[in-house]
Amino acid sequence: MEKEPASKVELPAGAGGGEIPSFDITLKVRRYNPEVSDEAHWDEWQLTMYGTDRVLDALHKVKWEHDGSVSFRRSCAHGVCGSDAMRINGRNRLACKTLLKDLDTSKPILVEPIKGLPVEKDLIVDMEPFFQSYREIMPFLITKGHEPTKERLQSAEDRERYDDTTKCILCAACTSSCPVFWTDGQYFGPAAIVNAHRFIFDSRDDAGDMRLEILNDKEGVWRCRTTFNCTDACPRGIQVTKAIAEVKQAILTRRV
Amino acid sequence: MAVPTVESPRSGRVSPGYSRTRSSRGNFEMGAWLFMRLSGVVLVVMIFVHLWTSLVAGDGISQVDFGFVAGKWASPIWQVWDLAMLWLAMLHGTNGVRTIINDYAEKNSTRMWLKGVLYTATVVIILLGTLVIFTFDPCPVIDGVAHVASYCPTA
């Protein structure tokens, strides 16, 4: 067998149909089970994985073949549901969108729960504080006047205005990458602001002022320090920090 | 006695540490955010003019002594300039440290104490600086003894 390269597995081009290169990895998972111990610890496994495998596949392999007690969330496993955000090698990502070959396989791959939210078990965190902030910005269409008899029409330009923030899947990768949120969990967080942005700049919605008022809070948009951690973390590529800046601008121009 | 029940894990209960008990809306944080940006721009201009007039123009750094400072503050323009610079720089810096305390202190009591120290220091420095700008005397007479420097008029 060929010796493995020091870093980043190179997949040979045109390796032939059905032939997928394999490589060995060390997977280290942060374990926590409050029913056994208050202390978290690392467990590690040596696995032989394939060039098409993602971190989620490695976790599946561990759970299905090595240690069934490893706990993590995943639903669709294809980057749409946003269940499996976790801290992989110190960065928030979706385990189902992170290919093992894109990570440094010469070193152990570290998998931890996302930071800033209470850990319930292993990689599962309590998402309630996150969803509470989301609920507070009223993430639903609010309109005035009569119901139209047909659908509410919108021009392509008006739709384009908030297109970026419609992509959010509420995985919490952004909010749990924000150092301001880590401190005390009081900050609304990037995800709530992104979803407020989606309605504030929607031409069909009439409650923009209410949402701006909610975010003009001590713990609202003004706690953003533009560290861009959220933009880096977003698995959907949303320009999160830009969206927050636009909400700041909207509050300013409404009030000054 | 009520039978202890295991709480449903999906009860929608938010851990107490995370709930925002009272909403603290108001325009203070917005004002502070705006002030940081505006005062920052103004300070860049003020500080570089200050540095240039004091350290580059004229005889440069060797000209700076009590007499030079008193000469500048004889003009109301420099009095207002330095006063504005003092206030803006102090408030800008204080607000910056205030946000750092908010970001890094985890307990409200720690925050309160740190900010108490910060605000006290700010008030003392601003008042002292303002007093000096308007009452500065380069040739003071202390206990009847004139501390005459070379630039002071001899009595």
Side-chain angles (χ1 to χ4, degrees):
Chain A
M1 215 179 104
E2 265 179 37
K3 196 178 177 293
E4 211 179 288
S7 164
K8 305 248 180 186
V9 181
E10 292 290 327
L11 297 181
E19 207 181 322
I20 304 164
S22 70
F23 46 84
D24 293 326
I25 62 157
T26 306
L27 188 74
K28 283 182 84 170
V29 178
R30 190 74 173 158
R31 303 294 305 274
Y32 170 70
N33 184 351
E35 289 171 0
V36 175
S37 165
D38 286 339
E39 295 290 312
H41 65 278
W42 292 96
D43 271 352
E44 67 173 80
W45 295 274
Q46 312 286 330
L47 306 167
T48 300
M49 303 304 294
Y50 293 89
T52 49
D53 282 339
R54 307 149 301 166
V55 172
L56 183 66
D57 295 307
L59 286 169
H60 277 156
K61 199 175 177 72
V62 168
K63 187 171 177 69
W64 294 339
E65 296 172 19
H66 296 270
D67 183 350
S69 71
V70 173
S71 304
F72 54 90
R73 285 196 183 103
R74 75 103 172 83
S75 297
C76 77
H78 291 81
V80 178
C81 72
S83 294
D84 63 350
M86 45 190 81
R87 205 169 149 85
I88 298 165
N89 281 355
R91 278 184 53 196
N92 282 1
R93 322 177 210 223
L94 297 182
C96 57
K97 281 186 82 172
T98 309
L99 285 168
L100 289 165
K101 73 180 184 68
D102 293 338
L103 300 169
D104 182 354
T105 49
S106 68
K107 285 190 244 161
I109 293 165
L110 308 180
V111 182
E112 300 161 76
I114 47 178
K115 274 179 79 171
L117 290 163
V119 181
E120 288 184 335
K121 189 186 176 192
D122 295 346
L123 303 174
I124 297 176
V125 298
D126 176 10
M127 297 279 279
E128 262 325 301
F130 172 80
F131 287 126
Q132 181 58 34
S133 293
Y134 175 61
R135 284 190 288 265
E136 277 175 50
I137 56 97
M138 302 186 293
F140 38 81
L141 188 78
I142 302 174
T143 58
K144 285 195 293 231
H146 297 293
E147 289 270 297
T149 51
K150 292 194 288 183
E151 69 264 51
R152 298 173 192 276
L153 295 176
Q154 185 171 46
S155 71
E157 293 75 39
D158 284 347
R159 177 62 177 73
E160 182 62 30
R161 179 68 191 86
Y162 62 93
D163 184 68
D164 201 32
T165 46
T166 61
K167 297 173 190 162
C168 179
I169 54 174
L170 294 170
C171 66
C174 57
T175 296
S176 62
S177 74
C178 177
V180 175
F181 184 79
W182 293 339
T183 304
D184 58 6
Q186 295 286 300
Y187 177 38
F188 271 80
I193 300 171
V194 157
N195 285 281
H197 179 285
R198 184 248 171 273
F199 286 100
I200 290 166
F201 294 98
D202 185 338
S203 60
R204 299 164 298 182
D205 186 88
D206 291 319
D209 276 355
M210 280 164 74
R211 296 196 180 87
L212 292 178
E213 185 59 35
I214 289 162
L215 290 174
N216 187 22
D217 185 284
K218 183 165 154 284
E219 307 297 343
V221 286
W222 309 114
R223 283 209 83 177
C224 169
R225 307 277 175 258
T226 56
T227 59
F228 283 88
N229 277 18
C230 48
T231 303
D232 287 345
C234 182
R236 308 302 308 270
I238 300 172
Q239 298 296 303
V240 183
T241 312
K242 184 174 172 233
I244 297 174
E246 285 173 1
V247 174
K248 284 178 182 168
Q249 285 293 325
I251 296 177
L252 273 178
T253 49
R254 186 181 62 113
R255 306 190 145 265
V256 175
Chain B
M1 218 184 114
V3 180
T5 52
V6 176
E7 196 169 3
S8 160
R10 293 291 163 266
S11 59
R13 186 182 55 91
V14 177
S15 308
Y18 285 84
S19 59
R20 279 180 291 276
T21 42
R22 58 199 161 78
S23 87
S24 40
R25 289 174 208 162
N27 293 331
F28 177 76
E29 290 296 330
M30 180 184 71
W33 185 88
L34 198 60
F35 172 78
M36 284 309 263
R37 271 124 198 100
L38 297 178
S39 63
V41 172
V42 174
L43 277 168
V44 166
V45 176
M46 296 197 97
I47 288 170
F48 276 101
V49 171
H50 169 79
L51 289 174
W52 191 79
T53 53
S54 301
L55 306 178
V56 180
D59 290 339
I61 196 162
S62 58
Q63 71 191 338
V64 179
D65 56 17
F66 274 25
F68 173 78
V69 176
K72 261 183 105 178
W73 284 345
S75 152
I77 293 173
W78 285 114
Q79 277 191 337
V80 171
W81 189 282
D82 284 6
L83 188 73
M85 205 163 65
L86 170 77
W87 279 68
L88 285 178
M90 284 306 297
L91 294 177
H92 185 95
T94 302
N95 192 37
V97 176
R98 182 185 71 90
T99 57
I100 290 170
I101 292 172
N102 280 342
D103 285 357
Y104 286 92
E106 292 179 16
K107 284 193 294 186
N108 274 332
S109 54
T110 318
R111 281 197 184 123
M112 198 191 72
W113 279 107
L114 287 173
K115 283 195 247 180
V117 172
L118 173 70
Y119 295 154
T120 311
T122 305
V123 169
V124 169
I125 292 169
I126 286 181
L127 289 181
L128 204 60
T130 308
L131 184 76
V132 168
I133 288 175
F134 289 110
T135 62
F136 186 66
D137 180 0
C139 303
V141 178
I142 299 168
D143 292 337
V145 182
H147 294 256
V148 181
S150 60
Y151 49 80
C152 287
T154 43

